[in-house]
Amino acid sequence: MKTISGKSILKGIAKGILKRYREPERDLPGEEMTDPQAELKKFEAARQRLKTAQRKLYEKTRVEAGEESAEIFLAHMQMLDDEMLKESVTEIIRRQNRSAAYAVQVGLSSIVGRFRAMDDLYVSARSEDIADLANGLLDELTGMAAFGEEEEEPWILMADTLTPTELMKLDRRKLSGLVLSGGSDISHTAILAKGMEMPMLVKCGPLDEGWEGMEAVLDGYEGVLYLEPSKEQLALFEGKQKNAQQDKERLESLKGKESVTKDGKRIRLLANISDPSEVGAVIANDAEGVGLFRSEFLYLNGSNYPKEEELLFVYRQVLKTLFPRPVIIRTCDIGADKASDYMQLKPEENPALGLRAVRFALTHREVFKTQLRALLKASDSGNLSIMIPMISDIREVRETKELLKECEEELKAEGFEIGAYEFGIMVETPAAVLTARELAREVDFFSIGTNDLAQYTLAVDRQDAALASFFHPAHPSVMKEIEMTVEAGHAEGIRVGICGELASNPEYTEAFLGMGVDELSVSPKSVLPLREIILSCCS
Ligand code: PEP
Ligand code: MG
């Protein structure tokens, strides 16, 4: 049995077969296939997805270039419903026992050829549209296959690094754990994995290709990956899982209790989420609400910026489900390690110091306004707070407030009622700490982001595994900054919380409460362990 050590992001055990991550490959059209029903379903799903994409293009083009230019996309949607088009593909799947991708390529190119040969200018011009749709269908059929889709047994992914977008695009139904040679425990990928309660090891060093296919156990308690564990070792893991079960039962008894220190200070104990599907975990772990909804993940999954209605739907769903609990939705923290191709962001030498978060928002005002409008519309659905990330200058706060006012006026003129909401900022740059008194006069609350605050204070890239030994989120300088922020916030009469990863480290809970921190927001799974600590602490 071989062991590999790494840094664990959460206590948990994952078992499964190791599989090395590869960029999803296109199916090569022409392969024989065995299940025509599955291929017919794939074709139908691709056709529907392409129709949705065409509708989005229609709406976007209508706004940007007018109805006439946009009509071609409506025509494409109709063509996708055309019986001749559908049959030319499904017949090949049924009769020739070929893959959906092959059938699209062959079936549609024969229509294109026939149309091109016609004298009628109108019909021959349509051939270009069909060729375009054939490409779209091929993209849908070959590019959409999620890595891991074919796995039927639990598996553990090995990779050098993994971006948040790559993680979101994996087929995670049977994925039990993640092992990275590089990475960082406070990267956004790690934060996402934590939210999914997925054991993950980072900084494991080189991972051998030859391990692919081996059975492995990832021990998130010890930070070790065991390759081909012995029977004795497997029994040990079962023992660990039993202990974890006992801890779980003890923590269950804390549900419904207030998070109050021994000397009577009530702490708001909230949860961090990155995806609406985590709302269930917020309730199941008895968090008092959401202290940080990292809303950018709604932007990373799609192929274009989400529309106001799409955002509104999600915000309403989260707010309504959690009502009357408070929900702090942080506006988009796009940029740096969080970007999608469609955003077409220019590569930056120092992305952490680049166009991210509020800087991105204020330079892409239409994108920002779409989000602010959706948030304001959702304000009637629950207990909403809006929070702005990465503030380093009071001007950014004021400009955001101006934009909010503009959106409020627009919405009122359109007949919408705006509900009550709080407005706050993340304190995660040294500049915000040093000007916290002035900033506090502009907002209802502060939430300290210790991940970035440590990165910018220590001048250490939080993503860079090679710098891990220099990254100390609880460095005395960061602790001092937390204390200064609480003092400044309280002097101006506002609430101060912590939502960075350090909030869940029990070693520092007593220190934070001693500084007067009012709120802690942690991954849902850390809520009850932290409540247990708070109940044993003095403020
Ligand atoms: C932080 O920086 O501490 C934080 C909570 O924000 P994120 O990790 O999303 O940058
Ligand atoms: Mg941050």
Side-chain angles (χ1 to χ4, degrees):
M1 182 185 62
K2 184 171 170 56
T3 59
I4 293 105
S5 299
K7 185 150 195 194
S8 170
I9 64 147
L10 69 85
K11 294 191 173 105
I13 304 272
K15 278 190 222 157
I17 301 296
L18 285 174
K19 188 173 165 81
R20 180 137 200 125
Y21 180 70
R22 289 175 196 90
E23 292 274 326
E25 281 174 19
R26 287 177 169 253
D27 296 341
L28 286 176
E31 291 161 15
E32 293 295 327
M33 51 85 196
T34 51
D35 184 359
Q37 286 313 320
E39 296 302 308
L40 286 170
K41 269 195 201 150
K42 272 194 206 163
F43 170 61
E44 183 51 23
R47 203 176 61 82
Q48 293 301 345
R49 282 196 301 268
L50 190 58
K51 271 175 69 182
T52 310
Q54 295 293 315
R55 166 154 292 287
K56 286 188 178 173
L57 276 175
Y58 163 72
E59 278 156 11
K60 188 168 184 281
T61 314
R62 195 165 57 110
V63 174
E64 289 173 8
E67 182 71 36
E68 210 175 316
S69 317
E71 270 169 7
I72 181 61
F73 299 111
L74 284 185
H76 280 180
M77 287 167 67
Q78 280 164 4
M79 284 183 210
L80 282 166
D81 280 335
D82 184 87
E83 286 307 320
M84 181 183 74
L85 181 143
K86 285 193 274 180
E87 268 169 29
S88 68
V89 176
T90 52
E91 281 297 286
I92 296 176
I93 296 178
R94 283 203 194 95
R95 289 180 193 274
Q96 299 181 21
N97 199 29
R98 299 290 185 137
S99 69
Y102 174 89
V104 165
Q105 200 170 51
V106 173
L108 296 195
S109 64
S110 88
I111 303 184
V112 171
R114 267 185 281 143
F115 276 26
R116 271 196 192 135
M118 289 190 194
D119 282 342
D120 183 326
L121 267 183
Y122 177 79
V123 176
S124 78
R126 294 285 71 77
S127 66
E128 298 312 313
D129 295 325
I130 299 196
D132 194 15
L133 290 176
N135 282 338
L137 284 166
L138 279 174
D139 281 351
E140 292 291 341
L141 280 165
T142 54
M144 298 293 289
F147 189 78
E149 199 175 57
E150 68 289 358
E151 298 305 321
E152 287 176 359
E153 298 298 326
W155 60 290
I156 296 175
L157 178 138
M158 298 193 283
D160 294 334
T161 55
L162 194 72
T163 67
T165 315
E166 284 169 332
L167 173 57
M168 296 305 288
K169 286 191 173 159
L170 292 177
D171 187 322
R172 302 192 299 274
R173 284 168 307 156
K174 291 285 176 185
L175 179 63
S176 62
L178 302 165
V179 181
L180 302 188
S181 34
S184 135
D185 56 334
I186 58 142
S187 66
H188 287 106
T189 306
I191 290 167
L192 267 178
K194 232 189 245 184
M196 297 168 187
E197 300 190 355
M198 169 125 9
M200 173 177 181
L201 295 185
V202 295
K203 303 189 189 105
C204 294
L207 301 170
D208 195 325
E209 300 267 341
W211 299 340
E212 177 140 25
M214 284 187 182
E215 194 187 357
V217 173
L218 187 170
D219 181 348
Y221 292 89
E222 305 290 336
V224 178
L225 178 76
Y226 295 84
L227 299 184
E228 307 204 306
S230 60
K231 273 200 185 122
E232 294 73 36
Q233 203 66 46
L234 284 171
L236 220 75
F237 294 128
E238 265 163 37
K240 271 192 186 168
Q241 274 175 320
K242 263 195 203 128
N243 288 345
Q245 187 55 30
Q246 283 165 2
D247 287 350
K248 204 169 164 197
E249 282 161 18
R250 197 185 67 249
L251 292 172
E252 286 282 310
S253 70
L254 299 179
K255 284 190 182 169
K257 292 203 173 153
E258 286 197 327
S259 308
V260 194
T261 62
K262 277 208 287 209
D263 56 341
K265 172 154 179 178
R266 202 166 145 5
I267 306 297
R268 268 199 359 159
L269 182 54
L270 308 172
N272 294 348
I273 61 170
S274 303
D275 189 286
S277 64
E278 291 170 68
V279 163
V282 174
I283 298 172
N285 289 285
D286 198 34
E288 291 165 45
V290 167
L292 169 64
F293 178 4
R294 289 181 163 97
S295 68
E296 52 275 12
F297 291 104
L298 298 170
Y299 291 72
L300 295 181
N301 281 336
S303 52
N304 209 336
Y305 290 110
K307 287 218 238 11
E308 187 177 311
E309 290 308 307
E310 289 165 334
L311 295 171
L312 177 61
F313 177 79
V314 172
Y315 300 158
R316 283 223 161 106
Q317 197 188 13
V318 173
L319 285 161
K320 280 188 182 162
T321 313
L322 289 174
F323 186 77
R325 300 173 186 87
V327 177
I328 303 180
I329 302 183
R330 179 180 74 181
T331 57
C332 237
D333 188 351
I334 289 175
D337 63 326
K338 290 181 287 188
S340 261
D341 293 345
Y342 75 83
M343 296 171 188
Q344 297 186 340
L345 299 186
K346 272 206 242 122
E348 293 173 316
E349 287 236 339
N350 295 305
L353 306 181
L355 195 65
R356 79 169 263 218
V358 73
R359 301 172 187 176
F360 175 89
L362 291 173
T363 44
H364 293 74
R365 283 178 183 241
E366 284 313 308
V367 175
F368 196 23
K369 272 185 74 179
T370 301
Q371 184 172 33
L372 296 179
R373 281 174 57 97
L375 285 164
L376 290 170
K377 278 190 181 175
S379 61
D380 64 358
S381 304
N383 189 348
L384 170 72
S385 299
I386 298 175
M387 177 159 79
I388 313 299
M390 222 195 145
I391 293 293
S392 58
D393 192 304
I394 200 161
R395 201 173 39 88
E396 295 151 355
V397 183
R398 292 186 177 143
E399 275 184 38
T400 303
K401 283 166 78 175
E402 278 298 311
L403 272 185
L404 261 175
K405 213 163 99 199
E406 201 177 301
C407 293
E408 273 193 35
E409 278 160 14
E410 273 173 26
L411 289 170
K412 280 186 191 150
E414 291 167 32
F416 290 98
E417 280 191 23
I418 313 291
Y421 66 93
E422 282 188 331
F423 175 77
I425 58 167
M426 294 205 55
V427 175
E428 51 183 348
T429 65
V433 174
L434 294 171
T435 54
R437 276 297 284 265
E438 292 76 14
L439 292 171
R441 287 185 211 120
E442 299 279 338
V443 299
D444 300 316
F445 66 91
F446 282 159
S447 187
I448 303 174
T450 50
N451 310 335
D452 279 317
L453 189 55
Q455 152 163 275
Y456 297 126
T457 302
L458 303 173
V460 177
D461 183 347
R462 65 190 265 196
Q463 306 290 344
D464 191 343
L467 295 175
S469 61
F470 297 96
F471 190 82
H472 302 298
H475 188 278
S477 57
V478 181
M479 295 301 273
K480 179 81 197 143
E481 285 174 317
I482 296 174
E483 193 174 15
M484 287 164 68
T485 308
V486 177
E487 258 176 40
H490 286 181
E492 297 296 336
I494 67 164
R495 189 178 78 236
V496 183
I498 306 179
C499 63
E501 295 308 291
L502 199 60
S504 58
N505 189 332
E507 266 182 60
Y508 302 103
T509 312
E510 186 127 37
F512 294 148
L513 301 183
M515 292 175 191
V517 167
D518 307 297
E519 174 184 293
L520 293 168
S521 191
V522 295
S523 66
K525 223 180 169 185
S526 301
V527 166
L528 291 171
L530 200 57
R531 179 168 299 156
E532 193 172 43
I533 306 281
I534 293 171
L535 289 167
S536 70
C537 280
C538 282
S539 66

